[in-house]
Amino acid sequence: MTNTRKGKCAKYFEVALYPVIATCLALLVGVIIMLVTGHNPVDAYLALFEGAFGSSVAIAETLSRSTPLFLTGLAVAFAFKCGLFNIGVEGQLHVGAMAAAVVGCYLTGLPAIAHIPLTLLAAAVVAGIWAGVPGYLKARFRTHEVINTIMMNHIAIALVSYLVVHVFRAPGVIPRTSTILPSAQLYRFIEFSRLNIGLFMAMIALYLIYYLLWKTNVGYEIRAVGHNDKAAECAGINVKRNIVMAMVISGMLGGLAGAERIMGLHLSFIQGFSPGYGFEGIAVALLGRNHPLGILFSAILFGALANGGFRMSMATAVPTDLATVIQAVVVFFVAAEQLAKLFIKRRKKGRLAE
Amino acid sequence: PKEDPEPVEEDAKVEEDAKVEEDAKVEEDAKVEEPIRIGIVYSVGGRGDLSFNDAAFVGLERAAKELNIEFTEIEPVEIAKMETSQDFLAQEGYDLVIVVGFLQADALKVVSERYPDTKFAIIDSVVDMPNVASLVFKEHEGSFLVGAAAGLMTESNIVGFMGGMDIPLINKFQAGYEAGVAHVNPDAEVKVVHVATDGSGFRDPARGKELTLIQIADGADVVYHAAGSSGLGLIEAAVEKGVFAIGVDADQNHIAPETVLASMIKRVDVAVFEAIKTVVEDRFEARVHVFGIAEDGVGICGNLGEHASDEVIATIADLKQKIIDGDIVVPDTPK
Amino acid sequence: MNLIERIFDVTIVMVTIRMATPLIIAGIGGMFSERSGVINIALEGKMLFGAFSSVAISYYTGNPWLGAAGAILIGGLIGFLHAVVSIKFNANQVVSGVAINILAIGLTAFLLETFFHVSGTTPTVAKLPVWGGFSPIVYFVAVLVVFSHITLFYTPFGLRLIAAGEHPKALETAGVNVIKIRYLGVIISGCLAGLAGAQLSIGTMSLFVEGMTAGRGFIALAALIFGKWTPLGILGSCLLFGFTDALGMRLAGLGIGLPTQFIQMLPFVVTMIALVSFVGRARPPKAIGMSYQKE
Amino acid sequence: MEQILEMVNIVKTFPGVVANNKVSFEVRKREIHALVGENGAGKTTLMNILYGLYKPDGGDIIIAGEKTSIDSPIVAIEKGIGLVAQHFMLIEPLTVAENIILGLETRKNKIFTDMRKANQKVKELSELYGLEVDPTARIMDISVGVQQRVEILKILYREAQILILDEPTAVLTPQETKELYKVLFSLKEMGKSVVFITHKLNEVMDISDRVTVLRGGKAIGTVNTSETDATQLASMMVGREVLMRVKKEGKKLGEAVLELRKVSAVDSRKLPALKNVSLEIRAGEILGIAGVQGNGQTELVEVLTGLRKATSGEVMLKGDSIINKNSRSIRELRVAHIPEDRNKRGLILDYDVADNLILGPHYKPPFTYRGKRNLQNVWQNARNLIAEFDIRTPSYDTKAETLSGGNQQKIVVARELGGDISLLVVSQPTRGLDIGTIEFIHKRILELRDKGVAILLVSAELTEIMSLSDRIAVMYDGNIVGILQDEEAKEEQIGMMMTGISKVDALRGEESD
Ligand SMILES: Nc1ncnc2c1ncn2[C@@H]1O[C@H](COP(=O)(O)OP(=O)(O)OP(=O)(O)O)[C@@H](O)[C@H]1O
Ligand SMILES: Nc1ncnc2c1ncn2[C@@H]1O[C@H](COP(=O)(O)OP(=O)(O)OP(=O)(O)O)[C@@H](O)[C@H]1O
Ligand SMILES: [Mg+2]
Ligand SMILES: [Mg+2]
């Protein structure tokens, strides 16, 4: 027993070690790119670090950037656990955000303690239904969810664009809804940072999804369907219901991500507010091995790279686009863990030879 | 391609230049060349949009040449980074922080409050703060003039408008254009399309081209756009089909001199330059500065004379005067 | 005039074909990769690389044909990168695809400034000729569809490609190097996606704009699945998509009073309906997404 | 006789297991060499090493006197080695001929696949070796027996000199097995060597020249078949005496548990697969279904277990109609099901052993209380069943995927037989299992019968059907051709009925013989 526990620790250590080494290797590649293009890598990386973790505000802002990614990453991972590739989180995030903006703005006279949960609920429900459609189509007609979620991304963005311009637009030239009521705003608890209690909501979601997947019957069945739907069916599991449910829950998570942006960051639905949180969620989920703990770290990595890279481009002459390139390289290396393994093996061999 | 938009009024420039030299001298006397530091935060997408970001840069570059300033640019890549960017520049002690685009308004409200001693200027939106100058344009007035040109030039009585997205700012262009067409040619029909429902509407020239080709097939023989880089597709389609195109924001005549009838120029560059100058000259005014036809902030430019009769040109000049005089009030939302 | 006649004329046919062209090329590219067992979510990024490199090469050589060839080459190179990371280094294929997409956004913009010293939009370059309203790449699509249909179903390579995506171990036991087949599949996908990008930049237009692919890579991915991983299916689904898109554009011009956002939904909604009503279920290559490693 | 292949001191370890522990093994020209051993003994591993699919941790492979390193199947094929893996290496959407030529395609103009020539060649090969196939049929449309032939043709097409067959008969009907024998003999006549892995000792005695026995990853020894017998082999394999056939008590029939009245159903291609089938099974009785695979047995089982909709008819379980109920509600009525394809239907290979052992009743106490899983109980259940059914696994949290085929099957059996049930529907319960395990499982099934459980047994293994069943129903083309009592059942007669000849005719034919 103790033996396996030790083994598990070692396994976790290894699992954690590879991404660290991979990130280092990627940054090394970044150094080369910067030297070739005539930038000072030391300054650049100092700025990168400063932007990501350099101060409490920087850390808070990094976590703020990561907050939607925890949720979109979870959304993608959850669907994956049921064998579904949800590329539609971006759309679900949009409809969820719009629902949050509307409920946050027009549902008056409620105390925050009621208004916030109701607003979140609205976002989750609307986005859940939105994601449930491709889930239902998959379960009922066996149509591929990848097509339908891609299509529904476009439909969602067109739809919210219509709503924000023609239905719920606040006066003025900006395509956005009115500011949501204070009772629906997520409390910001660090001065000069937009980090808000949405972070805790995301943490709770991470834990709940972990719990749901591994400690409850629902999770057992969803994973069973994901691994082998035929065997699941044979064991009396309702495959179709699980597919729809997995998509709905996935969509709800995406919707919550959108709600957090609206209720904690922008305070109204602004057209184009998402730089692609839903798509980033795909990488976050898979980089995190579809496991909540992994997602926790990969989302922070993405948040740190986004903010640090941006700081780098602001504070040094390194252009934004180069920062983006370095981000891509990091993702490459972290994904290609075999490369890190190769590196470790070489080291080990080298040591043995000594 | 960013051209130096040849200013409408050469004289004004000369005058300005003279003034600048004077100012510079004054300053030299006062202090030894401590350049004014200008920070600029572009809108999402950054430079290369052939629209306000590029125009703002032109103004900035001119200021760098003519005034004693140095500048830093930031492309925020996502809306959430706008606040970070503005904050960064303010914190670094820039004398003037210029923010481009209506999307920055929310962030600026917060940041300008946080840094009451920093001067800010925002393009295309109004932020009511004691340290913010809001520079807004009457795009509809300029669009009215090019609309009139289109209405006068069309033979088929069908003209086209292509917006990047269906959003209020773009709708201002559409409203003015439609009013201009209707004013001179009540029988003419304006066909309206939008490229997309997200930001790609401003950078999808291939789609812009197909949309325009359809408008042309439907009979349009003058097409106007407010679609950033997608508009390049419109011009390409017009070239291919031999109809007139109308450019936007800057003088786009050079892209296809034969085809581009005129352009609706929006002098973001002038606004930016002027804003910088007020800071250099220490006469910054935190209020709404409106740039309409009267202020030469918007207008019609290009080689209209090459393509149009004197009569047309005269009509347009007349309309321009009427707008300045307030005889014509151009609507800023489409019917 | 008869409304139907006004909507369905030669223009709409031509627009349909032109809208569908980049989708078909990229979709068939994706097919080669996915048939070999590698998910290709990176079509978008590969197209962007193709769009950029064709313009850059056309700019420097003045020859758009070289530009198109260069797009194929650079696309292939990016495909190679994708292949190395996902096949050799066993990265999750979707993550490496996402990384390619991010890389494409950053690198094309960066190189744009490096090569052209401008931002956002390149100067105009020599474009491919227009033959009868179409760029030569449009005609190439006809060849491509036939060619890839034959390759997939009538050549040994096609046989191996299918096997690699269905049951790589079976292919290995049949004495074929699975890794090599997968490399080829992914590289071909890069080449074709590159060409699809070139169609946008020097086929339709004569310049490059940052992000000008505007999500077409994802539509191509959907079309590839919709078309059940076959060239003819992809052709059909892209034409359907292109047609409904063109139809929407047409309707917008008719001023039917529907808000533009709803008109723009048309191709997506129609695709979903078509999928449910007459296309039905698609059976993906069995081993898709699974890395293949020898013991 | 000339020795053409030698494996010396082969070592291969997997995490937690030494699959091959200094195994030595040799093959001679023109011999059929049987390789036997319990589930998990390391047979497959050894052959995978020979074929270049696994890299050994130690040991040498000597071919034609020369030390060779086989690091890929390509090398193996070059050296004249061919492998028919137990899990078929066939590509379902491709045709027979396409599968056979894959990797060594016939070409036309150097570019195109010459399918005409390929079909021709496959036809020729199939005639030459007596392996009848339709070259243009798709793999997904042909029976397992034919798929097996395709696999053999595949390696013959590659001109293999040494053919390795990993449990080729596990999925074959008796007739098919006989045909396979003929093929193997003729291959031997042509100078080829065959390595034949099997759990069926009668097959070993029937066709092999020599036998090598593995146990626990070690080679116990190689003997000439003529100098040994099944009993001796069995004890070499298992390390103890094994009963070759279980004893059956007299039956004590109870009430009717399952009744089918004129049940019809269609298969996945929407073709009629069950045609008005009527049956009755009573408590304490085993009804065996004999028949060539693909005559409706699968569909019958699926209809009974709620996995397939019947198009008409009625199914009663202890007086309740269960037709077209879903599988959970049927399971709720104490019906257990051992599906025929453990990998497809029976197991979730990515789940660990413990999670597989609760699949089915997983949602209710003691495994789940109000939605929350009780892992202690899940593990305890696993520990109990692992001990009771002797499942050889490093631990209960090992992924099922890494267990040997036999032990995977034991998981399914343990799970389904473990609970309190009134009807057991079981398909191919011992496919691919070693004799010790078969004995064990047969005993358990009979115990259930004696406890009054009604049992429907579907098996391609006639000996299994005959030794367990109280009554035997023979299926052909979606119909029950006839039902025989245990006492009147003779292998030949059943065999005839399996080809569609009615019971009366079959009995008559027998007499006239
Ligand atoms: N890839 C693998 N990873 C981990 N363990 C493995 C792997 N392959 C085989 N094993 C283990 O090695 C041992 C030998 O397995 P092998 O498949 O060779 O047995 P076998 O003799 O073929 O058994 P069976 O008759 O059940 O097929 C088993 O304990 C099995 O679980
Ligand atoms: N790559 C692998 N990873 C993990 N386990 C493996 C792998 N390859 C084989 N195994 C396991 O090793 C065992 C032997 O493999 P194989 O598929 O040949 O079993 P088998 O011989 O068919 O079993 P049986 O003969 O009992 O039916 C199986 O349990 C299989 O699951
Ligand atoms: Mg840029
Ligand atoms: Mg085996």
Side-chain angles (χ1 to χ4, degrees), chain C residues 181-265:
Chain C
I181 298 291
R182 288 196 163 181
Y183 262 92
L184 278 171
V186 180
I187 291 172
I188 293 174
S189 87
C191 293
L192 289 176
L195 184 66
Q199 161 66 9
L200 291 176
S201 64
I202 59 167
T204 306
M205 294 297 302
S206 49
L207 42 75
F208 172 81
V209 175
E210 265 179 41
M212 74 187 297
T213 44
R216 286 179 178 83
F218 288 97
I219 302 291
L221 177 68
L224 150 69
I225 299 169
F226 193 117
K228 301 187 174 177
W229 290 270
T230 63
L232 295 176
I234 294 166
L235 176 72
S237 52
C238 291
L239 285 176
L240 173 73
F241 190 87
F243 174 72
T244 44
D245 203 2
L247 189 65
M249 296 178 181
R250 205 36 173 321
L251 292 178
L254 289 178
I256 49 164
L258 209 60
T260 169
Q261 289 88 355
F262 289 99
I263 287 174
Q264 302 225 347
M265 286 178 200

